[in-house]
């Protein structure tokens, strides 16, 4: 269900703002692997400008589409009880060494979006283990995802 909500959101961003978003976090890994990872929200990476100088127009568009701003600092919105969190696509390079030009672009249900591959996800979750908050709050889940990725890559 959440992947369909992501596709609806991606289509909106494609059509209204010419953004090709990245399906990120557990939902992206779940989509990539076909494993049920019980993603609790929809994490989306978009060009940083929409979170800075274009933030007000971005927020206005989502609000007009029925999204309610939940946390402005975290760029998160709620719609129909589902949390959508937006972050900067450009920060992936500093965070996990992933250049956005090397990310696969897909089209599903008339939605264009970006999706990390298994090696890129491995970099993301290994970098996450260095983040104090994630180690405290999500460490076991992140370790489980690393083990899943490594097993799929044949590294275990």
């Amino acid at each position: 269900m959440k992947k369909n909500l992501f596709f609806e959101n991606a289509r909106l961003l494609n059509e209204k703002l010419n953004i090709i978003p990245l399906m990120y976090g557990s939902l992206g890994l779940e989509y990539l692997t076909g494993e049920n990872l019980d993603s609790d929200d929809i994490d989306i990476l978009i060009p940083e400008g929409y979170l800075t100088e274009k933030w007000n127009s971005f927020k206005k568009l989502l609000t007009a589409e029925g999204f309610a701003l939940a946390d402005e600092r975290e760029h998160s919105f709620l719609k129909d009880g589902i949390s959508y969190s937006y972050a900067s696509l450009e920060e992936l390079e500093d965070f996990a060494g992933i250049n956005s030009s090397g990310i696969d672009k897909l089209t599903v249900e008339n939605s264009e979006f970006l999706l990390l591959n298994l090696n890129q996800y491995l970099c993301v979750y290994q970098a996450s283990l260095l983040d104090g908050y994630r180690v405290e709050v999500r460490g076991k889940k992140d370790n489980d995802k690393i083990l899943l990725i490594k097993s799929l890559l044949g590294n275990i």
Side-chain angles (χ1 to χ4, degrees), residues 2 7 17 19 22 29 41-43 83 102 114 127 141:
K2 286 190 181 105
F7 294 140
L17 299 173
I19 293 174
L22 173 72
L29 184 58
D41 62 358
I42 299 174
D43 294 314
S83 176
L114 302 172
K141 287 185 176 184

Side-chain angles (χ1 to χ4, degrees), residues 34-53:
E35 297 286 330
N36 181 2
L37 301 175
D38 293 322
S39 59
D40 54 357
D41 62 358
I42 299 174
D43 294 314
I44 304 168
L45 300 188
I46 60 174
E48 186 171 348
Y50 289 95
L51 303 173
T52 55
E53 64 267 6

